[in-house]
Amino acid sequence: MTTAVVRALGALAHETAHARTGPRCACPAPAVLADRADGTVVRCGSVVAKAHAAGTDTVALSARLALAAGPGLADVLLGPLPVPPTDDLAGRGAASPYLTELLGRPVTLWPYGEPVDPGDPDEAPWEATAVLLARLHRTGIGHAVPGQPPGPPAVPAMRPPVMDVPASPAMRGPAKAALAVARMRAARPGEPVTAPVLAAWSGLPPWARDETPAPAHRVRALCHGDLHLGQLVRHPAPHGPWLLIDVDDTGAGDPAWDLARPAAWYAAGLLPPEVWFRFLGAYRTAGGPAVRADGDPWPELDVAARALTVQTAALALAKSAAEDRAPDEVEQVMIDACARIAALPPELTAEHSS
C-alpha cells in the first residue's frame, strides 16, 4: 500500500463528500476498500476515490467515464462524480470532468454503494446481475449488433445508442487474460505447475488470447469486461437498486465474455447448477444477445469460459507464488480445470473456437 496515495485519496473523498453534504463534518476516518496493482480505493462517508494504475490509457478511461455518466445507462452503471474544481486539481492531466491525477495516477470519484455481502452467498444477486448484463448488451453502440451466434433469433429491441462504434474503446477481457498469463509466467518461470495452464491457453483461438480481433461473425455489443459479484453495489446505499461498477474494462466486444466467469465456475463445479441455470434463465428472459434464446448455450460461451478458467488459474498461481504458498483448494480446482481443458481432443475445442 502506498501511504501517500491513500492519504491523498482520503482527503479528496472527504473534500468531495463535504461539497455534497455541507460543511458539518461527522465523517469517520477514510477506509481503504481495495489496494491492488490495478487500483487503490478509499472511502470517506458517501464518496469513494479510486486511484487507477499508473500508465492507464486516460483517453480510453475518459470515454468509459462519459459512458457511465450519461443518462442512457443510468439503470445499469453507477455514474462517476465530477472532480471538485479546486486550484490544486484543476488542469492536472484531467481528460474529462470526471478524471484527475494525484501523485502520477489517474483518479476518479464515485458515490458509495452497498456491495454484495461475501458472507451470505445464498443472497448473491445472480438474477439481478443477469438482467443488468442483458440491458448493457442490448444497448446500442452506434448501430445494431452486426453478428449473431449460430442459432439464436434476431436480437430483441435494442436500447438507444449511447456511443458510436468508432469512438468506443474495446472491451478488455482478452487483454486481461493475456496479462494474467504473463504475470504467472513472470512469477513462476519454467515451473511445471504452470504447464496445464499454458497448455489450456495455447488451445484458445488467437482472438481470445488478445492476439487478433474477434471474428466478424461473433456478436459485438457493449460489455462490462470484468464481471464478478464484487462489481455490483446497491445505490443509493443500502437498499437502492443493484448497479454495475468499475468501467475500467468496459467497451465493445463479445458479450459472452461477461457470462464467462460464472460459466467457468459452473463448469469447474464451483457454482451450483441451480444457481447457474437461474442466472442463465434470467439473462435469456431479459433478452440478452450473448447466447441463443434456448437450448445449449455452450457454442457461444465455450471459448470465453475456457479463457476465464485460464485467467483465474494463472492469477491463482501468480498470487500464491508472491505469498510463498501452495494454491488453496479453490485455486487448485481452477488449475485442475485447465488440465482437463488441455486434455480435450483438438476437434472438440476447435468446434467452438471460431
Side-chain angles (χ1 to χ4, degrees), residues 162-178:
V162 293
M163 64 183 353
D164 293 331
V165 171
S168 64
M171 182 268 293
R172 295 187 64 249
K176 288 177 72 72

Side-chain angles (χ1 to χ4, degrees), residues 16-17 20 33 41-50 68 77-82 98 108-115 233-237 243-245:
T16 307
R20 289 162 57 83
L33 303 183
V41 183
V42 176
R43 175 193 177 190
C44 184
S46 62
V47 176
V48 173
K50 178 176 181 177
L77 299 175
L78 183 69
L81 299 175
Y98 305 102
T108 52
L109 295 170
W110 306 85
Y112 174 74
E114 188 74 19
V233 297
R234 285 191 181 277
H235 179 74
L243 295 171
L244 295 170
I245 63 171

Side-chain angles (χ1 to χ4, degrees), residues 86-226:
T86 67
D87 292 339
D88 291 339
L89 295 175
R92 294 178 57 185
S96 88
Y98 305 102
L99 182 63
T100 189
E101 181 182 320
L102 289 175
L103 302 176
R105 295 175 64 175
V107 170
T108 52
L109 295 170
W110 306 85
Y112 174 74
E114 188 74 19
V116 175
D117 183 357
D120 192 4
D122 290 341
E123 294 300 316
W126 286 107
E127 289 93 335
T129 303
V131 171
L132 289 171
L133 289 179
R135 289 177 186 165
L136 183 66
H137 296 165
R138 288 176 49 224
T139 299
I141 49 175
H143 56 68
V145 176
Q148 293 296 312
V155 173
M158 298 292 288
R159 291 155 60 93
V162 293
M163 64 183 353
D164 293 331
V165 171
S168 64
M171 182 268 293
R172 295 187 64 249
K176 288 177 72 72
L179 288 171
V181 172
R183 181 178 165 188
M184 178 193 70
R185 283 179 162 137
R188 295 181 178 270
E191 292 189 24
V193 71
T194 66
V197 181
L198 293 174
W201 180 246
S202 67
L204 291 168
W207 68 266
R209 300 195 303 263
D210 198 39
E211 296 172 1
T212 63
H217 70 271
R218 294 190 68 92
V219 169
R220 188 163 183 249
L222 188 59
C223 307
H224 181 272
D226 187 28

